[in-house]
Amino acid sequence: MLDAAGPEAIEVHARALAVGARLATTLVVTGYPAEVTAGWLAPLLNFPGHLDIALHIEPVPNPVAAAGLKKQRARLESGRRAGYDKGHLDDPEEEAAAADAAELAYRIARGEGKLFHVALYLTVHAPDENSLAEQAAAVRAIAESLLMTVAPTTYRALPGWLATLPLGIDTLKIRRTFDTAALAACFPFISPDLPTATGSDGEAAGVLYGLNAVSGTPVLWDRFAQDNYNSITLARSGAGKSYLAKLELLRLLFTGITASVIDPEDEYVRLAETVGGHVVALGADGVRLNPFDIPPAAHSGEDMLTRRVLFLHTFLAVLLGADLTAAEKAVLDRAILAAYTRVGITSDARTWTRTPPHLSDLTTVLEEDGSQAAADLADRLAPYTAGSHAKLFNGPSTAAATGHLVVFALRQLPDEVKAPAMLLALDAIWRQVTSRPAVGRHLVVVDEAWLLMRDGAGARFLFRMAKAARKYWTGLAMVTQDADDVLTSPLGRAIVSNAATQVLLRQAPQAIGTISENFHLCHGEKEFLLSASRGEALLLTGDRRHKVALISVAAPGEHEVITTDPGELAGQYTDDGVGIAGDLAADDEGWAP
């Protein structure tokens, strides 16, 4: 039995072994970098060839460690004083070593750490000498890129091979001393790949986000298999956040989900037109949503009139650009109820199907109230009832929010009214989600979410939506480039904490501190986000157990549909010679591999 487990023969050479029909050579790690992060040995684990890695650990008793550190500190201090007496300049490396030894000695004395003897050996296998030399050179290059120093086991090839067998025997004993924190950075030998989610049929679920930046394997992620279905995507302008959001949306549509999009810059219009979706261009002639519309009750017994009045308070606060005082809220509440009463809508559910009032009806009630607060509110609403923005919100609804993909395109709206228009569109989406008869997955994408997050009432609406979406098998995908509007407010942080899928692309140096603090990033992850190319992203899960660096990739057909790069779109023309790039956002987020 034992004979069958071993090779038929072993031939020992100076630096290699012939183990059966294959060759093997062992490299010893003799030097380590000064600073590392968790999982720093992962590049070695992902080596594509046959590589055996053995890490031998032997704890050092605290009395022995303390005595050794005492001698080491005395030697370093003696050398420093001798150099000082001779007029030599301080040696920076010696000073750093003395400081490290002193700090380590104090940690051990306080019981905050221990010392370990650690040995790391790498055995490379190949079928012939040339392949072995190439594989060993590749492993050496990876090790040196990690700032490790490696050396071959010359004339000790057999002990080196034995040291990497699963026997737990260190036959070389070429070791270095590690403390607890340094040793912890070597464990666990984690895989850079996410765990693969599987459906009820056992097949891989989710959609392709891109390729793993470390291993090159596909990154499949299913937001609807997480604790909640929400996501947050943060990036600086031009990093490719909208491109990645459109790519995920397009691939999710292939799986049969329905979706709604708030699109401030008309970046999703071509996508909707390609897949047969419905585009609601708010701001265009004759396109309007009436904020006074009462949705049908999703459940019997629901007081939809009261819920509509509460929404109107939120909408008007965003429309007027400031939180209302208690007196203004009281006046407004009376006026809203009076406007509904005048058209025959009361607390009786049978009246909720009647034609609702308009914004001008509310202004009329406020003007008749006679109080100063009511007059001030009427004056502030005048631009939206009889002024330059009257056609946007004043009048009956003329657009329907139905279809497998509905995009609310807001580019034609002035910047001053984009936030209330986004809120009104979100309300229309939410009414559709809560009243849809068919049961199925739904995704709500809010691009440039900072437009709503900077307003308190808008942020509260998004927060409530993020909390309640899961009950309707709906996910809220927020895409924004302004991290401060999201992460510096309690509501913004609460929305992030309710997102099980978190995607970070390239960040500005001014924002990386806030991003790092809120997403608990290590040094290497911060450096990755600061230097990431367009399309490179860090995918995090809400519980922080899994994370992966990826590169988003799109097929040529997908790229043609979702790109908004003006340089690419300028070369695409319709049959009548008019460039289709003319009506699209001139941003720089279109990216292809």
Side-chain angles (χ1 to χ4, degrees):
M1 294 294 293
L2 292 176
D3 292 340
E8 62 272 19
I10 297 178
E11 184 178 341
V12 182
H13 300 276
R15 292 191 177 183
L17 287 177
V19 183
R22 297 180 65 85
L23 299 178
T25 185
T26 301
L27 301 174
V28 180
V29 178
T30 59
Y32 296 85
E35 295 183 4
V36 295
T37 58
W40 67 284
L41 289 175
L44 285 174
L45 289 177
N46 294 301
F47 181 71
H50 185 175
L51 175 65
D52 294 335
I53 303 175
L55 187 66
H56 295 269
I57 304 168
E58 180 184 344
V60 179
N62 278 355
V64 177
L69 284 172
K70 185 176 181 180
K71 291 180 180 179
Q72 178 74 353
R73 293 181 63 196
R75 185 184 65 81
L76 293 171
E77 183 64 20
S78 175
R80 190 171 67 88
R81 291 185 181 184
Y84 179 76
D85 292 340
K86 296 178 181 180
H88 295 168
L89 294 175
D90 293 339
D91 184 352
E93 293 185 0
E94 191 172 297
E95 291 289 330
D100 291 343
E103 181 184 358
L104 184 56
Y106 285 120
R107 287 209 306 268
I108 291 176
R110 291 192 297 265
E112 297 176 358
K114 297 185 66 175
L115 291 185
F116 302 86
H117 288 149
V118 178
L120 182 59
Y121 308 126
L122 316 170
T123 296
V124 185
H125 299 263
D128 53 61
E129 291 185 6
N130 291 335
S131 298
L132 184 65
E134 292 177 359
Q135 295 288 309
V139 171
R140 183 188 291 270
I142 293 175
E144 291 177 350
S145 71
L146 298 174
L147 302 181
M148 293 192 295
T149 304
V150 296
T153 54
T154 305
Y155 299 115
R156 302 185 68 183
L158 180 58
W161 177 66
L162 292 173
T164 56
L165 291 178
L167 303 175
I169 302 174
D170 186 359
T171 53
L172 291 175
K173 295 189 181 299
I174 303 176
R175 304 180 295 188
R176 291 288 296 271
T177 302
F178 278 41
D179 67 339
T180 304
L183 182 60
C186 300
F187 282 90
F189 275 166
I190 58 173
S191 169
D193 297 319
L194 289 173
T196 302
T198 56
S200 58
D201 57 357
E203 298 292 331
V207 298
L208 177 66
Y209 270 50
L211 299 179
N212 191 304
V214 177
S215 64
T217 57
V219 177
L220 297 174
W221 184 250
D222 185 5
R223 67 164 63 234
F224 291 97
Q226 311 311 312
D227 293 338
N228 62 70
Y229 319 134
N230 303 330
S231 69
I232 179 74
T233 302
L234 291 175
R236 66 183 298 178
S237 177
K241 59 184 183 301
S242 295
Y243 188 94
L244 182 57
K246 286 180 284 186
L247 188 60
E248 183 198 13
L249 173 61
L250 180 60
R251 289 169 175 170
L252 282 173
L253 289 172
F254 294 152
T255 67
I257 76 159
T258 57
S260 305
V261 181
I262 306 297
D263 182 12
E265 295 296 337
D266 290 12
E267 296 182 70
Y268 297 75
V269 171
R270 291 178 65 222
L271 171 61
E273 293 173 345
T274 302
V275 301
H278 179 50
V279 178
V280 179
L282 293 180
D285 291 339
V287 180
R288 184 188 310 106
L289 293 176
N290 183 12
F292 286 82
D293 285 342
I294 299 179
H299 306 284
S300 60
E302 282 187 301
D303 189 350
M304 300 308 298
L305 178 61
T306 300
R307 295 182 63 176
R308 200 62 194 164
V309 171
L310 293 175
F311 167 75
L312 284 169
H313 278 280
T314 301
F315 171 74
L316 293 171
V318 176
L319 185 67
L320 298 176
D323 289 336
L324 303 177
T325 64
E328 290 174 332
K329 289 181 179 179
V331 170
L332 192 59
D333 192 68
R334 292 196 305 269
I336 293 173
L337 290 173
Y340 276 113
T341 302
R342 290 189 178 188
V343 295
I345 297 177
T346 64
S347 57
D348 187 349
R350 293 173 295 180
T351 65
W352 297 346
T353 58
R354 295 174 179 173
T355 303
H358 304 150
L359 198 59
S360 57
D361 298 326
L362 175 65
T363 304
T364 301
V365 174
L366 288 172
E367 291 173 344
E368 296 174 356
D369 184 272
S371 65
Q372 184 61 42
D376 291 341
L377 287 171
D379 291 340
R380 293 165 66 182
L381 288 173
Y384 308 104
T385 57
S388 57
H389 301 319
K391 67 176 183 178
L392 301 178
F393 309 113
N394 186 33
S397 295
T398 60
T402 57
H404 68 282
L405 174 61
V406 180
V407 174
F408 289 87
L410 311 180
R411 191 185 180 198
Q412 299 185 51
L413 292 172
D415 291 340
E416 294 78 9
V417 295
K418 276 190 177 180
M422 289 177 67
L423 183 60
L424 198 56
L426 269 176
D427 172 71
I429 292 172
W430 189 243
R431 282 184 284 157
Q432 182 70 18
V433 167
T434 54
S435 62
R436 57 193 175 126
V439 177
R441 297 177 299 172
H442 191 83
L443 181 65
V444 179
V445 180
V446 184
D447 208 337
E448 303 298 346
W450 61 272
L451 290 169
L452 269 179
M453 291 301 302
R454 64 184 179 183
D455 185 275
R460 286 191 290 272
F461 186 89
L462 274 179
F463 174 68
R464 291 193 297 268
M465 189 172 181
K467 295 280 284 186
R470 187 179 183 277
K471 301 176 183 178
Y472 300 96
W473 210 0
T474 297
L476 174 63
M478 289 179 50
V479 184
T480 183
Q481 64 181 355
D482 201 330
D484 287 341
D485 283 330
V486 177
L487 299 177
T488 56
S489 67
L491 279 174
R493 291 192 295 270
I495 291 175
V496 171
S497 66
N498 277 279
T501 302
Q502 301 165 354
V503 182
L504 305 177
L505 291 93
R506 186 172 71 236
Q507 302 294 328
Q510 296 82 359
I512 194 63
T514 304
I515 294 287
S516 175
E517 178 182 356
N518 285 273
F519 290 92
H520 308 290
L521 303 180
C522 67
H523 176 75
E525 291 163 345
K526 290 192 293 184
E527 293 300 321
F528 173 79
L529 293 179
L530 286 172
S531 60
S533 300
R534 184 178 298 172
E536 294 183 344
L538 190 64
L539 173 62
L540 311 173
T541 60
D543 55 10
R544 304 295 193 276
R545 288 182 298 175
H546 305 296
K547 58 182 70 175
V548 63
L550 61 90
I551 304 171
S552 60
V553 292
E558 293 174 321
H559 176 71
E560 291 178 4
V561 172
I562 63 179
T563 184
T564 52
D565 188 332
E568 295 183 16
L569 296 176
Q572 302 179 22
Y573 291 88
T574 58
D575 294 338
D576 57 0
V578 179
I580 63 175
D583 293 333
L584 296 173
D587 65 18
D588 57 351
E589 294 194 3
W591 177 85

